[in-house]
Amino acid sequence: MANHDLVLGQNPDLALGQSHDLVIGQGHGLGLGQRHGLGLGHAHDHELGLRQAHEHDLGLGHHHDSRLVLGHHHPHDHSNELALGQNHDPDADALAAQNHELGLSDNHELALAEGHDLGVDQNLDQLSVEQAQELALQSSHDLSQAHMLIPQVLQTRRIIVNPEHQLTVGQEFPDVKACRRALRDMAIACHFEIQTVKSDKTRFTAKCAAEGCPWRVHAAKLPGVPTFTIRTIHESHNCSGINHLGHQQASVQWVASSVEERLRENPHYKPKEILEEIHRMHGITLSYKQAWRGKERIMASVRGAFEEGYRLLPQYCEQVKRTNPGSIASVYGNPDDNCFRRLFISFYASIYGFVNACRPLIGLDRTLLKSKYLGTLLLATGFDGDGALFPLAFGVVDEESEENWIWFLSELHALLEANTENMPRLTILSDRQKGIADGVDFNFPTAFHGYCMRHLSESFRKEYNNTMLVNLLWEAAHALTVIEFEAKILEIEEISQEAAFWIRRIPPRLWATAYFEGTRYGHLTANIAESLNSWILEASGLPIIQMMESIRRQLMTWFNERRETSMQWTTILVPSAERRVSDAIERARGYQVGRANEAEFEVVSPHEGTNIVDIRNRCCLCRGWQLYGLPCAHGVAALLSCRQNVHRYTESCFTVATYRKTYSQTIHPIPDKSLWKELSETNQNGGEKIEIIINPPKSLRPPGRPRKKRVRAEDRGRVKRVVHCSRCNQTGHFRTTCAAPI
């Protein structure tokens, strides 16, 4: 060799991807071995001539002795080959027409030392030279910078023989569908497409979809049995396989069957991951919609049909009451056609925890269902001592209406009345919907009903899209005293009198902390559905029984986790209350306390002035003690001055002992639906039972893919930007689309 040898060691890879050039510097000649001339075009073109007149052509097929082959690497005969692809067999003129050129200067030769191949593997990813092979760059005339450009090669799949999908004459299939599936799987595995010629109850004939290819198969039904057998098959192909990214036989059903096992193991398998898996295993590129539809088809079979869910609702309610004694589960249908109307479920563990240990505070909310038959999920939720949501009852109705809200609240009232000797005076938070207000007034006449501030601020933002006004509204809602509240309203009035008038139209006793008569413990919102957004949205698209089971499993997990977590606490109060009391103790150190009698104190602070504290009635002039159920800083100062234990003056719901009682009961699992009938017959003890049939509701989901992402409350009333035309000075369009006359 000359002094310019590029030696590639063991199994080297020379990667030539997109936009990668092999640059041959100046002064290096590339010479072909014996009798391997390289035809050059005109001296000024600096192109690699691709003419058949030369002794050795640069071909892209498999007919010539010395050639550049865009195919898989062939064994070395008596010629030297440059293999760069697979299944490309155009002639030289076609290659020149596609501007696939190798630029060389005058009188230079491209040489590969005799007996060496430059090969590219079948994956078209790497250009490799076998062990002990050399790419000799022999000295010659000065060579201007020449580039060997490898253009992007389209993905192709050459026909292969797959023993697992080999068909033979006489092979039998249970029916014609099984025969079609076998042919489909074989075509996908062997990288060719088939076209159905004849398909009926007794015959099935298919051929290769490539024009002129002789591959053909014929199957027929055996007499007297549904079995199909292959009668004739022509196994040879003369086509080159598939030259595009997809596959005609890769249907949605094939996608579903391909990923069924994976989806059963992991229901959260994403369509994007399905696309990647199919491309990796089969080399097929599908659309996102195909992957999504294939997943939905499998998930439907895994979950069960939506119609079956409604039919099994009576049995499900029976199983809830059997496995969780004391629970309430009732389903109601339309008396005319037995179509589903309402479902109410509340587990005994939730009832016990709320009645015996939770704050007397209930939040009401709803979320729309995304399933086939739509509907609305109604929620009633309490709050545990640590401030976390404590789901109490669930209702599913065919539509949200005043009548359904009144029904749901009547069921909730019956639930509480049946489990308490003395009905506690509740505080209920909800939005301003009339059905809720009427239901609360009718079923809980003594309860304090407050509006959820999140819903109120939403409506306010829709009317006045001003962030400063919205913030002032929240500050007015949090104000503890009437003086502070009125000061915030005056600030709003200075900015917008209309906004202040809008606020004053709503009685402050329904939303402002300074006027509210009940105890909300600092909770101004009942945005339950948004707080449970992480799992409630996923459940809302399932069949009704699967949805309720998803909710039950989540509650079961919550109860167990919170029960175990509370067993590790060593403080008297729950963590959030402990932090609040600790902060109050720190603030109380700078207060001056004067004692009037055994219960009344005067507390003076540098910045807040004088406040009167009554430790017997657990109240303070600042109203912080009454509103939050924990001693405020003034109350703490008074208690410390008379050497009282601050923790003894907190509400019982904030203690760790009460918190443990909240989650002391267990939500038990429910057996699989295949056992329900057997278990029901066992519990009947020979008594007759009238079976209730519930049909699906008449409302159906509109066509199109349902929204998966919940619209955030702050985005619901956002005003869209108004576009302006600079040509006609009108709004609603741009200058480019303006149709106004000049």
Side-chain angles (χ1 to χ4, degrees):
M1 287 292 175
N3 294 328
H4 303 283
D5 293 345
L6 177 60
V7 181
L8 303 181
Q10 184 175 0
N11 294 330
D13 294 338
L14 180 58
L16 296 179
Q18 297 182 8
S19 302
H20 290 74
D21 300 336
L22 179 61
V23 181
I24 305 170
Q26 297 181 0
H28 297 81
L30 291 178
L32 290 171
Q34 297 178 2
R35 298 189 310 104
H36 295 273
L38 182 63
L40 297 177
H42 195 272
H44 298 287
D45 294 334
H46 300 286
E47 297 177 352
L48 181 62
L50 302 175
R51 296 175 297 178
Q52 298 179 359
H54 293 291
E55 179 181 356
H56 297 281
D57 295 336
L58 183 60
L60 300 180
H62 47 276
H63 309 298
H64 308 287
D65 294 332
S66 300
R67 57 195 185 267
L68 179 65
V69 182
L70 295 182
H72 55 78
H73 185 60
H74 296 283
H76 178 68
D77 299 324
H78 57 280
S79 60
N80 299 318
E81 301 175 351
L82 183 59
L84 295 177
Q86 183 179 2
N87 284 338
H88 288 271
D89 193 17
D91 58 17
D93 293 331
L95 178 65
Q98 297 178 9
N99 296 326
H100 293 238
E101 300 173 353
L102 283 174
L104 295 177
S105 62
D106 299 342
N107 300 324
H108 292 82
E109 297 177 349
L110 177 66
L112 292 177
E114 185 173 350
H116 297 81
D117 294 344
L118 185 59
V120 177
D121 63 5
Q122 295 184 10
N123 292 328
L124 307 180
D125 293 331
Q126 295 177 338
L127 183 64
S128 60
V129 181
E130 297 294 330
Q131 182 179 3
Q133 294 179 345
E134 299 177 355
L135 179 62
L137 305 179
Q138 299 181 356
S139 298
S140 180
H141 304 287
D142 290 341
L143 181 65
S144 61
Q145 292 189 1
H147 302 273
M148 187 170 72
L149 302 177
I150 306 300
Q152 182 180 2
V153 180
L154 292 176
Q155 177 181 350
T156 60
R157 296 188 296 280
R158 186 182 180 89
I159 291 179
I160 62 174
V161 177
N162 194 325
E164 296 181 2
H165 297 86
Q166 196 76 14
L167 297 179
T168 57
V169 175
Q171 186 173 348
E172 295 183 355
F173 303 96
D175 50 35
V176 67
K177 292 183 178 180
C179 181
R180 289 197 200 103
R181 285 196 299 268
L183 286 170
R184 178 198 64 190
D185 295 341
M186 182 200 65
I188 292 174
C190 298
H191 300 168
F192 71 96
E193 295 177 331
I194 60 175
Q195 179 180 346
T196 302
V197 178
K198 181 72 175 178
S199 180
D200 55 28
K201 295 181 180 180
T202 59
R203 293 171 297 173
F204 181 78
T205 306
K207 66 176 184 178
C208 179
E211 186 177 356
C213 183
W215 187 93
R216 190 180 182 93
V217 63
H218 175 70
K221 179 179 175 296
L222 295 176
V225 292
T227 306
F228 265 68
T229 181
I230 295 180
R231 296 292 180 86
T232 60
I233 181 171
H234 192 289
E235 298 182 351
S236 61
H237 287 268
N238 63 7
C239 61
S240 58
I242 303 174
N243 58 0
H244 58 86
L245 300 176
H247 198 289
Q248 186 176 343
Q249 273 67 53
S251 60
V252 172
Q253 183 58 44
W254 176 80
V255 173
S257 60
S258 299
V259 297
E260 179 176 3
E261 183 177 351
R262 186 74 177 268
L263 275 173
R264 290 184 182 274
E265 296 175 357
N266 178 22
H268 302 291
Y269 199 37
K270 297 180 180 179
K272 182 179 179 181
E273 296 172 332
I274 293 175
L275 291 176
E276 294 172 353
E277 177 75 10
I278 288 178
H279 187 272
R280 184 177 63 84
M281 297 295 295
H282 305 282
I284 298 174
T285 301
L286 302 174
S287 66
Y288 184 89
K289 185 177 182 180
Q290 279 181 288
W292 181 80
R293 291 174 62 193
K295 177 183 177 180
E296 288 298 306
R297 188 168 295 186
I298 290 299
M299 294 309 296
S301 64
V302 171
R303 297 181 302 224
F306 287 88
E307 294 77 11
E308 182 189 28
Y310 289 101
R311 182 176 57 82
L312 294 176
L313 269 180
Q315 298 180 40
Y316 177 73
C317 292
E318 184 179 338
Q319 293 302 316
V320 169
K321 292 183 284 189
R322 187 188 67 81
T323 56
N324 293 268
S327 300
I328 297 176
S330 305
V331 60
Y332 304 92
N334 192 317
D336 297 330
D337 51 11
N338 285 336
C339 286
F340 171 82
R341 287 193 67 194
R342 298 162 179 160
L343 171 70
F344 185 89
I345 289 181
S346 181
F347 295 97
Y348 176 73
S350 297
I351 300 172
Y352 179 88
F354 179 81
V355 170
N356 293 283
C358 279
R359 315 173 189 185
L361 176 66
I362 292 179
L364 302 176
D365 202 357
R366 86 284 182 264
T367 184
L368 300 178
L369 301 182
K370 308 295 192 301
S371 63
K372 180 178 180 181
Y373 291 97
L374 300 178
T376 303
L377 176 67
L378 309 180
L379 305 102
T381 303
F383 300 86
D384 64 20
D386 204 30
L389 291 175
F390 185 84
L392 173 59
F394 303 90
V396 181
V397 294
D398 52 355
E399 61 178 353
E400 185 183 12
S401 63
E402 295 180 11
E403 182 184 359
N404 282 332
W405 268 117
I406 293 174
W407 162 81
F408 180 72
L409 290 170
S410 66
E411 293 283 338
L412 185 64
H413 178 268
L415 174 156
L416 296 175
E417 193 174 42
N419 288 274
T420 55
E421 296 181 1
N422 298 315
M423 175 72 72
R425 192 172 187 183
L426 299 173
T427 298
I428 298 177
L429 300 177
S430 70
D431 62 10
R432 296 188 296 161
Q433 186 170 332
K434 188 177 185 299
I436 300 179
D438 292 344
V440 171
D441 292 341
F442 181 78
N443 294 286
F444 301 95
T446 62
F448 300 104
H449 187 199
Y451 290 158
C452 170
M453 268 304 298
R454 178 60 65 90
H455 293 95
L456 187 65
S457 64
E458 257 183 71
S459 302
F460 184 71
R461 187 189 296 272
K462 290 179 182 179
E463 294 290 333
Y464 309 97
N465 189 25
N466 188 317
T467 304
M468 183 178 296
L469 289 176
V470 175
N471 292 337
L472 287 172
L473 176 65
W474 277 95
E475 292 176 9
H478 281 286
L480 299 181
T481 63
V482 175
I483 296 175
E484 294 175 0
F485 173 81
E486 292 298 334
K488 295 300 178 183
I489 297 298
L490 288 176
E491 289 185 43
I492 294 175
E493 192 170 2
E494 291 176 359
I495 299 174
S496 172
Q497 292 185 354
E498 293 181 359
F501 177 75
W502 188 94
I503 294 173
R504 291 188 185 278
R505 286 189 301 124
I506 305 172
R509 63 181 176 80
L510 297 175
W511 60 276
T513 303
Y515 288 94
F516 191 74
E517 298 176 357
T519 304
R520 294 188 290 188
Y521 300 94
H523 292 278
L524 299 185
T525 65
N527 229 31
I528 302 167
E530 214 160 290
S531 301
L532 305 179
N533 193 23
S534 58
W535 58 274
I536 204 74
L537 266 186
E538 183 178 345
S540 66
L542 300 174
I544 188 167
I545 289 181
Q546 300 297 325
M547 178 185 69
M548 298 310 302
E549 276 295 274
S550 176
I551 293 174
R552 183 197 57 78
R553 291 189 190 100
Q554 184 65 51
L555 293 183
M556 182 178 67
T557 303
W558 275 357
F559 270 63
N560 182 63
E561 290 177 350
R562 294 175 182 178
R563 186 188 309 118
E564 292 180 350
T565 301
S566 66
M567 299 306 294
Q568 301 174 3
W569 294 342
T570 57
T571 57
I572 298 176
L573 303 179
V574 296
S576 60
E578 196 72 40
R579 288 192 297 269
R580 194 176 184 90
V581 170
S582 298
D583 293 341
I585 292 174
E586 286 296 321
R587 292 174 55 197
R589 296 184 188 279
Y591 294 170
Q592 296 179 359
V593 181
R595 187 167 187 173
N597 53 39
E598 68 277 2
E600 193 173 6
F601 295 81
E602 181 184 38
V603 180
V604 181
S605 60
H607 304 291
E608 301 174 18
T610 301
N611 283 279
I612 300 174
V613 177
D614 186 345
I615 62 174
R616 181 186 293 122
N617 296 318
R618 299 184 180 186
C619 62
C620 176
L621 193 62
C622 74
R623 302 186 72 238
W625 197 341
Q626 303 94 295
L627 295 175
Y628 293 100
L630 295 169
C632 60
H634 313 109
V636 169
L639 291 170
L640 293 177
S641 69
C642 59
R643 298 182 180 180
Q644 293 291 328
N645 187 347
V646 176
H647 295 90
R648 291 180 55 190
Y649 286 83
T650 61
E651 294 287 343
S652 62
C653 62
F654 294 106
T655 63
V656 172
T658 302
Y659 184 92
R660 290 171 180 167
K661 192 175 182 180
T662 306
Y663 296 100
S664 60
Q665 302 299 310
T666 301
I667 296 180
H668 300 283
I670 294 177
D672 186 77
K673 61 184 179 182
S674 59
L675 303 174
W676 292 354
K677 187 175 182 180
E678 179 182 350
L679 294 171
S680 298
E681 292 174 353
T682 303
N683 293 335
Q684 287 178 18
N685 297 325
E688 294 184 2
K689 181 183 176 182
I690 301 175
E691 185 176 355
I692 303 174
I693 299 175
I694 299 295
N695 297 320
K698 295 180 180 180
S699 58
L700 278 172
R701 187 179 72 192
R705 186 174 175 182
R707 181 190 294 272
K708 290 292 185 183
K709 186 177 180 181
R710 180 182 175 93
V711 179
R712 297 184 303 170
E714 53 268 28
D715 293 340
R716 222 172 268 150
R718 182 168 293 175
V719 179
K720 294 183 178 180
R721 183 174 66 91
V722 178
V723 297
H724 184 268
C725 177
S726 60
R727 180 170 173 269
C728 66
N729 293 326
Q730 299 297 318
T731 59
H733 63 275
F734 292 106
R735 179 185 181 89
T736 54
T737 58
C738 181
I742 299 177

